[in-house]
């Protein structure tokens, strides 16, 4: 499967959860989960990569490893202290051994060279009696110095039991001494793992500020591993996250595609403590398929762009309004073509363009799709074996993914993923971003997003419009490159 050109992906071995994206004197530095013990990929460290423009990346050496025999460095977060040092909070994972279950604790390590290296870790900053205690996230507190969120997920085998996931909440004035002040959850069904929590405060310093809570969830019920990021709005009151009324217990999907997971806050502002604007970085992968996908030269999955999310407050609380690329990205678009395809009457099922999209290039495709008399219509991208649809008379958006030559036979790869729209309109505007094996689609001016790993056809393919009745589509195709700094 073709590697992305404009998203970071490991040059070799395994990569998954991002553990931080920071600004440095020369640009940006990314930390991510890294393993090179093929084929198991169980000995995990923190890898690193650097970039001047968030588009072209140089992978560097691993920078953080556990110094206890047999242990791994699992996910966490990075903060820049007032003296300029970087402080990493990470999970120290000790696998199960004869006579005892796995152990997880929270440790810290300091970097004084912008993340090029970290000093020996301080062990057991926090330890809990439960075997699952991981993924620390630190942010400034509306009421006191800092908050630390630590996931307490149910076990991977939890569909056999009744355990539910929650988040432990700690507070500190100095990033060194932490006291337990409460918990978040549980409020979802047993068998759904909560991992990688994050918190966004809309008005830092305001104790009544609305907040957004994000959690990466793996649904292990029915022996699946369906992965997604969910978001709740609410406020912190007396060290308790109080959800806004009216929202479902399962929250809202941040990205309704199959491959957007382990989201964390990217720190692109000069002041690491600034909570606005919100930039999120994620792993484009799902535990349903990640270990089976045959990427070219690496395993695991690529990282997302650090999309900026506009946040707002209304009578119902905080909400996410729009996805957009951060100003720091210099993405150059060259127009390749404009197309118009139309199905004029019932019984005509498809209309194909003559333009062939080829592998080895990255594209942004602006789409205006109208149903006319059709109840649903689909734009198929033959080069990537996938389609984007407007269904149910305009009330539902759908992403469909089919296997290609590299993914035939991979269980759970083929599927359809859908999202209801806030408005019922018989037309939709969207942009489909194709970068190697990665599709990201923004719908309704960026108010909804869907991501998927796709199997790019080596021979390329055409764009088609398919509908059982009259429909039309207009497309503008752009080739993407990294622009000048």
């Amino acid at each position: 499967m073709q590697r992305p050109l404009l998203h970071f992906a490991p040059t070799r071995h395994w990569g998954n959860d991002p553990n931080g994206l920071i600004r440095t004197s020369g640009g940006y530095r990314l930390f991510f989960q890294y393993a090179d013990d093929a084929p198991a990929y169980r000995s995990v460290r923190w890898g690193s990569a650097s970039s001047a423009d968030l588009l072209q990346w140089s992978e560097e050496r691993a920078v953080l490893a556990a110094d206890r025999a047999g242990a791994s460095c699992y996910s966490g977060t990075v903060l820049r202290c007032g003296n300029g040092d970087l402080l990493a909070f990470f999970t120290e994972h000790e696998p199960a051994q004869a006579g005892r279950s796995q152990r997880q604790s929270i440790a810290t390590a300091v970097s004084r060279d912008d993340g090029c290296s970290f000093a020996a870790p301080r062990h057991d900053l926090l330890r809990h009696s439960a075997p699952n205690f991981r993924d620390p996230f630190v942010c400034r507190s509306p009421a006191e110095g800092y908050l630390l969120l630590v996931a307490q997920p149910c076990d991977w085998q939890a569909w056999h039991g009744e355990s539910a996931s929650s988040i432990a909440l700690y507070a500190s004035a100095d990033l060194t001494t932490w006291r337990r002040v409460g918990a978040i959850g549980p409020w979802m069904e047993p068998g759904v793992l909560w991992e990688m929590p994050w918190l966004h405060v809309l008005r830092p310093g305001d104790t009544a500020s609305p907040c957004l809570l994000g959690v990466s969830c793996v649904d292990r019920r029915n022996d699946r591993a369906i992965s997604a990021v969910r978001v709740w709005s609410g406020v912190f009151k007396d060290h308790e996250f109080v959800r806004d009324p009216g929202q479902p217990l399962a929250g809202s999907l941040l990205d309704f595609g199959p491959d957007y997971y382990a989201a964390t806050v990217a720190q692109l502002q000069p002041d690491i403590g600034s909570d606005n604007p919100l930039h999120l970085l994620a792993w484009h992968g799902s535990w349903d398929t990640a270990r089976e996908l045959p990427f070219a030269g690496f395993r695991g999955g690529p990282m997302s762009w650090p999309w900026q999310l506009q946040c707002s407050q209304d009578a119902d609380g905080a909400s996410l309004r729009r996805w957009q690329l951060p100003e720091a990205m210099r993405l150059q678009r060259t127009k390749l073509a404009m197309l118009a395809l139309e199905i004029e009457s019932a019984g005509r099922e498809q209309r194909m363009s003559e333009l062939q999209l080829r592998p080895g290039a990255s594209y942004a495709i602006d789409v205006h799709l109208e149903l006319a008399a059709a109840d649903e219509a689909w734009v198929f991208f033959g080069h990537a074996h996938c389609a984007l649809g407007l269904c149910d008379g305009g009330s539902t958006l759908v992403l469909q993914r089919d296997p290609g030559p590299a993914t035939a036979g991979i269980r759970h790869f083929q599927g359809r993923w859908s999202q209801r729209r806030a408005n019922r309109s018989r037309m939709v505007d969207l942009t489909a971003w194709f970068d190697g094996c990665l599709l990201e689609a923004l719908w309704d001016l960026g108010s909804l997003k869907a991501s998927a790993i796709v199997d790019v056809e080596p021979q390329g393919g055409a764009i088609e419009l398919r509908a059982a009745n009259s429909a039309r589509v207009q497309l503008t195709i752009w080739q993407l490159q990294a622009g000048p700094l």
Side-chain angles (χ1 to χ4, degrees):
M1 295 177 66
Q2 183 186 12
R3 67 180 303 113
L5 301 176
L6 301 174
H7 290 73
F8 173 75
T11 57
R12 58 197 182 280
H13 305 308
W14 175 278
N16 61 304
D17 300 5
N19 295 321
L21 175 62
I22 61 166
R23 290 193 65 170
T24 66
S25 58
Y28 303 89
R29 185 174 296 277
L30 166 70
F31 305 100
F32 63 97
Q33 296 288 271
Y34 170 79
D36 59 6
D37 57 328
Y41 296 120
R42 301 294 185 188
S43 180
V44 179
R45 293 170 282 166
W46 279 25
S48 68
S50 61
S51 175
D53 59 4
L54 297 171
L55 295 168
Q56 302 169 95
W57 291 91
S58 297
E59 186 173 358
E60 301 177 358
R61 64 185 181 89
V63 295
L64 188 58
D67 58 5
R68 285 176 170 168
S72 288
C73 285
Y74 278 13
S75 295
T77 191
V78 174
L79 290 178
R80 190 177 295 279
C81 303
N83 62 0
D85 292 347
L86 295 178
L87 183 59
F89 292 77
F90 65 94
T91 307
E92 191 167 56
H93 172 82
E94 298 175 81
Q97 297 179 1
R100 70 165 177 83
S101 61
Q102 71 178 23
R103 295 190 298 195
Q104 294 181 335
S105 59
I106 308 305
T108 61
V110 177
S111 172
R112 295 183 171 87
D113 56 9
D114 256 354
C116 294
S117 63
F118 283 85
R122 173 190 170 192
H123 298 291
D124 295 346
L125 179 70
L126 293 171
R127 181 177 283 275
H128 196 273
S129 59
N132 297 296
F133 185 73
R134 59 181 178 264
D135 306 342
F137 176 82
V138 182
C139 65
R140 293 198 184 276
S141 166
E144 52 192 312
Y146 298 90
L147 286 176
L148 170 62
L149 285 69
V150 182
Q152 295 181 276
C154 59
D155 192 74
W156 188 255
Q157 305 293 332
W159 78 90
H160 292 304
E162 296 296 328
S163 59
S165 300
S166 62
I167 299 168
L169 185 63
Y170 297 82
S172 175
D174 58 7
L175 294 173
T176 301
T177 303
W178 295 88
R179 60 189 178 91
R180 178 75 178 258
V181 295
I184 300 174
W187 57 62
M188 288 183 68
E189 295 184 23
V192 179
L193 280 75
W194 282 11
E195 299 184 315
M196 296 289 289
W198 54 267
L199 181 71
H200 178 66
V201 182
L202 267 65
R203 297 193 303 271
D206 182 353
T207 56
S209 173
C211 305
L212 292 168
L213 172 70
V215 175
S216 289
C217 302
V218 184
D219 191 341
R220 289 289 290 142
R221 296 170 297 179
N222 302 314
D223 201 16
R224 290 288 302 273
I226 301 170
S227 307
V229 180
R230 295 188 173 273
V231 179
W232 294 265
S233 62
V235 295
F236 262 100
K237 184 177 181 181
D238 298 328
H239 296 127
E240 181 183 3
F241 180 76
V242 180
R243 301 191 313 273
D244 291 330
Q247 60 186 318
L249 285 179
S252 301
L253 280 174
L254 188 61
D255 180 304
F256 73 87
D259 293 305
Y260 188 89
Y261 189 71
T264 191
V265 176
Q267 302 287 359
L268 301 188
Q269 302 304 304
D271 176 10
I272 202 68
S274 174
D275 287 322
N276 285 305
L278 174 61
H279 294 90
L280 287 180
L281 182 71
W283 172 52
H284 282 302
S286 168
W287 290 115
D288 245 355
T289 57
R291 291 193 174 273
E292 299 178 76
L293 294 178
F295 295 110
F298 71 101
R299 290 294 182 268
M303 299 297 117
S304 75
W305 282 331
W307 289 94
Q308 179 177 328
L309 281 79
Q310 292 183 343
C311 302
S312 62
Q313 178 185 4
D314 54 28
D316 296 325
S319 62
L320 301 172
R321 292 298 186 195
R322 184 184 181 192
W323 296 77
Q324 60 188 26
L325 290 176
E327 294 181 1
M329 292 181 64
R330 300 290 186 263
L331 193 61
Q332 182 175 304
R333 294 159 54 115
T334 302
K335 185 183 289 187
L336 295 182
M338 295 183 67
L339 302 174
L341 303 174
E342 184 172 2
I343 294 174
E344 299 175 352
S345 60
R348 186 83 178 268
E349 292 189 353
Q350 67 184 59
R351 191 70 180 267
M352 182 181 299
S353 73
E354 296 180 359
L355 178 71
Q356 296 279 314
L357 297 182
R358 301 292 183 182
S362 299
Y363 303 98
I365 304 175
D366 294 326
V367 178
H368 177 77
L369 177 62
E370 299 181 17
L371 290 180
D375 187 58
E376 64 179 56
W378 297 82
V379 181
F380 278 76
F381 300 94
H383 79 295
H385 300 280
C386 64
L388 302 174
L390 181 60
C391 301
D392 299 329
S395 63
T396 305
L397 308 174
V398 182
L399 183 156
Q400 176 178 313
R401 179 176 67 182
D402 297 318
T407 54
I410 294 181
R411 192 173 58 147
H412 307 315
F413 186 82
Q414 185 173 20
R416 285 189 179 187
W417 295 266
S418 63
Q419 177 71 53
R420 301 286 290 182
R421 302 171 77 188
N423 63 313
R424 183 185 179 95
S425 172
R426 297 187 65 79
M427 62 182 66
V428 68
D429 290 295
L430 66 97
T431 300
W433 305 78
F434 287 98
D435 184 25
C437 61
L438 180 59
L439 162 64
E440 295 178 273
L442 299 183
W443 313 73
D444 289 336
L445 301 176
S447 63
L448 294 170
K449 183 172 179 288
S451 302
I453 299 296
V454 293
D455 192 350
V456 177
E457 175 62 48
Q459 304 303 317
I463 300 175
E464 301 177 38
L465 172 64
R466 295 184 183 179
N469 210 326
S470 58
R472 62 187 66 91
V473 65
Q474 295 178 322
L475 307 105
T476 305
I477 297 96
W478 310 81
Q479 186 165 343
L480 303 177
Q481 293 176 301
L485 296 176

